[in-house]
Amino acid sequence: MPEFAPFTRLPLIWPGERPVPAPGGPGMPIYMAAIRRRAANRPLPADQLDPVAIPHFRGLPGGLRLSLLDQLYRIQRPDRPEILDRFIDAYLLLAEGGFLNLPGRGRHLAGTATCRSLEAMGHLFRMHWTRLHTVPGPQWQRFMATFRAAGQARLFPARAPSLASGAPLSPIGAATNILLRSVANPFAWEPDITPSLDRLLGLLAENVLLFPAASPSAYAKNRSGRFVVDASGQHPPVPPEGLASPPLPGEGDIRPRWWIIDTAPALNRLASFQRSLSLGIPAERVHPALGEIPAATRRVLLDRLQRILSRSSRTPSHSPSGEQAKLVVGLEQTVRHTFAHRWSGSGDTQALATHVRMQSEMGTQTVDGSAVQEWEVLDTGRGGLRLRTPMVPQRALIGQVALLLEGQRQPEQGPTLALVRWQRILAHKGATEVGVEELKGTPADCWCRVGWGTDPALQEHPAILLTASQELPELVCPAGLFQAGAPCTIRTDNWNHRAKLLRLREADVHFERIEIQLRKGSE
């Protein structure tokens, strides 16, 4: 076996079994013929070619095997997780096998194969995250094993053309893209806007710093925008206060174990984008990529990213056992159930269902019954709750207005308005977890229209009026209604109240939170 010079191979320790080619697969001539047929615009053979077989073609030099694997990747354009997973294994096998250091090419080829594997891992993780699924533990451990090995072999700065865009990419850049997507909470985004999110995070990745640290507390605690990566591969990046401090058995030889992701420069760039857009500069002049994102989606992306990346610590929480929470999701359902609770004077599900069915508002959908669901309370903190249900909803719940009805948790408090901030589907358990943020104030059901009077041209929308002591009241209404200084009519039962829209506190895909000023007099 030939000797390889230092840094011409990836010293990978596989977290599981080494991948092997599918039994009975075709030999190297079939792969070469498939490439030639593709070059001649002929269809590929019906049988799928296993990419893991290519690293085992010992008759070809390592560089040619890497080139053959690249061509197969571009031809197949894998869009299924199981096929993409095989390409990742194939690139890692090539990088681990090493390359002869002929005219200084060995290190470059090892870095290229490593970069290809990390780029494909990012694609695979985005497939999971777009469906709101967690990344399987073995796949995340393989990513961290590759990350550790690339650092040990000093392959981080090697650069190669990206498979997706052709732009220069390095292993450290590909790993940073994955880690940035992870700290941006991949479960806090609606599937429809994830392509725009990926485009924006691609701009910000070059401003993110990734560096090793002796301990997480020395560099990240109490600093906004900093997150900690545990190189042992046990979990994705978290704020430092969420770490389990003692190392797990067998992890003492991992050096360095802690890495810091500093998103502060990216937050500064986000703020610069927002300032420029607020001054009226066209989005395409701020950056061409921003001009490709619709204005409403762009506003949601910038605001939500700013909030997620700037979180500095986790709020204290505890894990209750056996508690249940009754949740209603959706703005119109929230309005109907707030009304039903007000008139029934009871949190009984049957009574609520009866009053919900009795409502017949003009211009709204007919509701057949109550949409109250019981969720298990996993964690509680100052900001809200983490809930779980043993089912997978038919639609994404992210960004939806919700109502927490009184149950075992603070039954004397009454209904509480909440926002679903993130949703995670545990496919292996057939369950769903959500993070719910509770809003301060007492919710009151109402219907609103921008404008004053009873003009039938003014459409009426379901809304929640939120009042809290020593704060201006808020109107939670459907997205797209805010106009600074515009008059507003708020109807509760048969009473119309005058109001003025003052300031937009939060704009999201499904709702807006607007500070309002109630005026004297009603009709």
Side-chain angles (χ1 to χ4, degrees):
M1 184 173 179
E3 294 290 334
F4 294 99
F7 318 132
T8 61
R9 62 178 297 271
L10 185 72
L12 179 65
I13 300 176
W14 291 88
E17 296 182 0
R18 289 173 55 88
V20 295
M28 182 177 62
I30 301 298
Y31 285 78
M32 301 296 291
I35 299 297
R36 287 195 294 269
R37 278 198 292 271
R38 177 65 179 181
N41 292 325
R42 296 190 212 166
L44 282 172
D47 56 318
Q48 290 292 333
L49 303 179
D50 184 11
V52 174
I54 294 179
H56 295 81
F57 294 158
R58 301 302 179 186
L60 283 179
L64 290 181
R65 279 179 279 163
L66 178 58
S67 177
L68 179 62
L69 187 58
D70 285 347
Q71 293 182 62
L72 186 63
Y73 186 95
R74 294 187 179 98
I75 288 173
Q76 289 194 356
R77 298 185 180 275
D79 56 358
R80 299 208 310 268
E82 60 273 13
I83 298 178
L84 190 56
D85 198 61
R86 297 294 284 177
F87 272 98
I88 295 170
D89 286 337
Y91 279 117
L92 289 178
L93 285 171
L94 275 176
E96 182 202 23
F99 298 86
L100 289 174
N101 196 26
L102 298 176
R105 291 277 296 169
R107 182 173 181 271
H108 172 73
L109 293 175
T112 300
T114 303
C115 188
R116 296 277 193 267
S117 68
L118 290 170
E119 185 181 2
M121 287 181 200
H123 188 191
L124 177 63
F125 292 172
R126 287 193 296 274
M127 285 184 181
H128 291 301
W129 289 332
T130 299
R131 295 181 294 177
L132 303 177
H133 290 181
T134 56
V135 174
Q139 293 183 6
W140 186 263
Q141 292 170 10
R142 180 180 59 183
F143 162 65
M144 292 309 304
T146 306
F147 179 79
R148 294 193 300 267
Q152 181 182 348
R154 303 182 188 178
L155 297 176
F156 276 155
R159 299 180 74 82
S162 165
L163 281 170
S165 63
L169 186 64
S170 64
I172 190 67
T176 301
N177 289 339
I178 294 175
L179 295 173
L180 176 60
R181 188 70 166 82
S182 180
V183 301
N185 193 353
F187 308 109
W189 306 92
E190 294 83 352
D192 293 343
I193 66 175
T194 49
S196 299
L197 172 66
D198 292 335
R199 190 177 297 117
L200 182 58
L201 289 179
L203 294 180
L204 301 177
E206 60 191 40
N207 301 106
V208 174
L209 304 178
L210 178 64
F211 54 90
S215 68
S217 59
Y219 295 91
K221 278 194 175 180
N222 301 321
R223 298 193 182 186
S224 177
R226 288 196 171 186
F227 302 84
V228 177
V229 182
D230 184 355
S232 66
Q234 296 303 317
H235 51 71
V238 294
E241 287 77 3
L243 286 172
S245 53
L248 296 177
E251 296 176 356
D253 56 345
I254 295 177
R255 296 289 186 273
R257 179 183 176 185
W258 307 111
W259 290 74
I260 306 298
I261 306 174
D262 187 2
T263 64
L267 285 170
N268 292 336
R269 193 175 187 189
L270 272 178
S272 175
F273 288 161
Q274 290 176 312
R275 283 195 301 270
S276 299
L277 293 172
S278 64
L279 292 173
I281 300 176
E284 58 273 11
R285 290 185 57 190
V286 177
H287 195 283
L290 292 179
E292 300 172 2
I293 303 175
T297 302
R298 184 172 60 240
R299 181 177 60 184
V300 172
L301 289 175
L302 295 176
D303 291 345
R304 202 183 292 180
L305 261 183
Q306 187 83 24
R307 183 180 69 249
I308 292 175
L309 294 182
S310 60
R311 68 189 191 275
S312 58
S313 64
R314 294 163 60 103
T315 58
S317 63
H318 69 277
S319 301
S321 58
E323 288 193 10
Q324 300 289 320
K326 296 179 180 179
L327 190 69
V328 177
V329 179
L331 179 57
E332 185 169 334
Q333 287 280 13
T334 295
V335 172
R336 291 181 179 276
H337 281 79
T338 306
F339 173 89
H341 186 277
R342 178 163 59 91
W343 283 96
S344 66
S346 169
D348 179 69
T349 304
Q350 296 291 340
L352 286 176
T354 300
H355 282 81
V356 168
R357 284 195 299 268
M358 289 171 57
Q359 298 177 62
S360 178
E361 297 288 351
M362 293 180 59
T364 63
Q365 298 178 357
T366 301
V367 179
D368 295 329
S370 175
V372 178
Q373 294 181 352
E374 288 198 357
W375 296 66
E376 179 188 358
V377 181
L378 300 180
D379 291 307
T380 62
R382 290 199 308 266
L385 305 89
R386 181 164 67 98
L387 309 175
R388 176 184 292 174
T389 184
M391 59 175 292
V392 177
Q394 295 181 352
R395 60 189 178 95
L397 306 180
I398 303 166
Q400 294 281 357
V401 178
L403 187 69
L404 277 168
L405 300 172
E406 66 268 37
Q408 295 182 22
R409 184 177 186 270
Q410 296 181 338
E412 73 285 350
Q413 181 179 344
T416 303
L417 193 66
L419 302 173
V420 180
R421 291 301 190 185
W422 57 265
Q423 176 186 357
R424 179 169 56 203
I425 297 175
L426 308 176
H428 61 289
K429 296 183 179 179
T432 302
E433 292 182 359
V434 296
V436 175
E437 178 188 352
E438 297 176 286
L439 300 182
K440 296 180 181 179
T442 303
D445 59 282
C446 63
W447 297 79
C448 73
R449 56 181 180 267
V450 178
W452 174 252
T454 57
D455 186 350
L458 298 176
Q459 184 178 356
E460 199 170 47
H461 304 274
I464 290 290
L465 183 62
L466 201 60
T467 55
S469 60
Q470 299 180 350
E471 293 185 12
L472 286 173
E474 287 185 24
L475 190 67
V476 181
C477 60
L481 295 184
F482 176 73
Q483 301 174 27
C488 177
T489 303
I490 299 175
R491 179 176 66 82
T492 303
D493 297 336
N494 293 325
W495 293 91
N496 290 327
H497 306 273
R498 297 171 180 260
K500 181 180 179 181
L501 307 184
L502 297 180
R503 184 169 69 93
L504 186 63
R505 291 201 60 177
E506 182 178 355
D508 210 280
V509 175
H510 303 288
F511 70 91
E512 290 179 344
R513 292 173 58 192
I514 305 172
E515 278 189 357
I516 65 172
Q517 181 181 14
L518 291 174
R519 299 180 176 178
K520 293 182 179 181
S522 60
E523 292 182 359

